[in-house]
């Protein structure tokens, strides 16, 4: 009889401990879900966020997840003026064709085809990006068949956007009468499009 009572007491102790462990896990998951929900709410400030208990599992999980905020901060830095070199043509140290000289609210030469075609590009800040506009042909161009005077100067021909390691140039092409000039779309794409780092 005595052993039956002892076994019964041990059984009750074991089940009550097991229930309290389940309750703690459920409570911990509930707190974690609530904090995630608050973080996702638009318009809440840090003061509105619940204080999270020290839970080593939760902290380890948060450490494993990549944060996009850190990447956004790096890629949202404004682009500064200066000379940038195309990362695929680092050997062009003299900047004969694979560099861009970013001059905000000013113009600089852009190479369309090596040793053959050059234009003036005007740089204008738009948020974190910089729009590049056609501003006329440069002296020394050998191709006279291109309708330089027909290209629009108020439509961006390229956009510079910040990246974690420099800037990226996305070539759009020349526009004539509000349409991309398809016959001349490749000029500049091969030489200018790509990723740049500051020289």
């Amino acid at each position: 009889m005595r052993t039956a009572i002892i076994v019964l007491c041990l059984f009750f102790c074991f089940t009550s401990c097991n229930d309290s462990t389940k309750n703690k896990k459920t409570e911990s998951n509930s707190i974690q879900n609530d904090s995630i929900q608050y973080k996702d709410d638009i318009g809440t400030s840090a003061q509105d966020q619940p204080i999270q208990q020290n839970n080593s599992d939760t902290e380890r999980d948060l450490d494993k997840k990549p944060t996009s905020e850190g990447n956004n901060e790096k890629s949202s830095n404004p682009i500064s003026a200066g000379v940038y070199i195309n990362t695929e043509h680092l050997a062009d140290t003299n900047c004969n064709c694979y560099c861009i000289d970013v001059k905000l609210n000013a113009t600089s030469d852009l190479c369309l085809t090596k040793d053959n075609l050059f234009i003036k590009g005007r740089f204008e800040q738009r948020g974190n990006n910089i729009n590049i506009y056609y501003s006329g042909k440069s002296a020394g161009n050998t191709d006279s068949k291109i309708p330089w005077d027909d290209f629009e100067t108020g439509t961006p021909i390229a956009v510079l956007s910040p990246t974690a390691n420099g800037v990226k140039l996305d070539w759009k092409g020349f526009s004539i009468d509000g349409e991309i000039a398809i016959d001349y779309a490749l000029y500049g794409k091969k030489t200018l499009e790509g990723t740049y780092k500051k020289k």
Side-chain angles (χ1 to χ4, degrees), residues 67-82:
T67 57
S68 60
E69 290 175 6
N71 293 340
N72 285 343
E73 284 177 14
K74 288 179 183 174
S75 65
S76 66
N77 289 336
I79 302 168
S80 60

Side-chain angles (χ1 to χ4, degrees), residues 56 73 91 134 143 172-173:
S56 60
E73 284 177 14
Y134 170 68
D143 194 334
K172 304 292 185 193

Side-chain angles (χ1 to χ4, degrees), residues 48-177:
D48 298 333
Q49 303 290 330
I51 298 173
Q52 197 172 22
Q53 295 177 352
N54 286 338
N55 185 341
S56 60
D57 291 337
T58 304
E59 289 173 4
R60 267 188 259 130
D61 288 343
L62 289 174
D63 288 341
K64 290 179 188 174
K65 292 180 184 175
T67 57
S68 60
E69 290 175 6
N71 293 340
N72 285 343
E73 284 177 14
K74 288 179 183 174
S75 65
S76 66
N77 289 336
I79 302 168
S80 60
V83 177
Y84 292 80
I85 187 167
N86 192 314
T87 56
E88 291 183 12
H89 300 279
L90 294 174
D92 186 19
T93 55
N94 293 331
C95 288
N96 293 324
C97 193
Y98 299 102
C99 294
I100 51 173
D101 187 5
V102 177
K103 297 179 180 178
L104 297 176
N105 299 317
T107 62
S108 69
D109 285 339
L110 299 172
C111 177
L112 298 183
T113 57
K114 192 172 181 179
D115 300 326
N116 189 18
L117 292 177
F118 297 88
I119 62 166
K120 295 275 184 195
R122 179 174 49 88
F123 297 83
E124 196 173 292
Q125 188 89 39
R126 286 283 183 257
N128 287 333
N129 295 335
I130 293 179
N131 289 342
I132 304 174
Y133 298 89
Y134 170 68
S135 187
K137 69 175 183 171
S138 291
N141 285 328
T142 57
D143 194 334
S144 59
K145 296 177 184 176
I146 296 175
W148 298 111
D149 295 334
D150 293 342
F151 294 148
E152 293 178 6
T153 57
T155 304
I157 57 171
V159 176
L160 279 175
S161 52
T163 65
N165 300 323
V167 297
K168 181 181 178 188
L169 190 142
D170 182 25
W171 180 257
K172 304 292 185 193
F174 298 102
S175 295
I176 299 175
D177 297 327

Side-chain angles (χ1 to χ4, degrees), residues 25-42 44-46 48-53 55 58 62 65:
K25 285 183 181 178
T26 305
E27 199 173 280
S28 170
N29 287 341
S30 172
I31 289 171
Q32 183 178 359
N33 289 341
D34 287 344
S35 68
I36 290 170
Q37 182 180 1
Y38 277 109
K39 287 179 185 175
D40 290 341
D41 286 345
I42 297 173
T44 59
S45 68
D48 298 333
Q49 303 290 330
I51 298 173
Q52 197 172 22
Q53 295 177 352
N55 185 341
T58 304
L62 289 174
K65 292 180 184 175

Side-chain angles (χ1 to χ4, degrees), residues 165-199:
N165 300 323
V167 297
K168 181 181 178 188
L169 190 142
D170 182 25
W171 180 257
K172 304 292 185 193
F174 298 102
S175 295
I176 299 175
D177 297 327
E179 300 286 329
I180 295 291
I182 296 171
D183 294 342
Y184 309 100
L186 291 180
Y187 287 117
K189 188 169 185 71
K190 291 181 181 179
T191 55
L192 292 172
E193 192 165 74
T195 306
Y196 290 77
K197 69 174 190 174
K198 199 156 192 181
K199 197 169 175 198

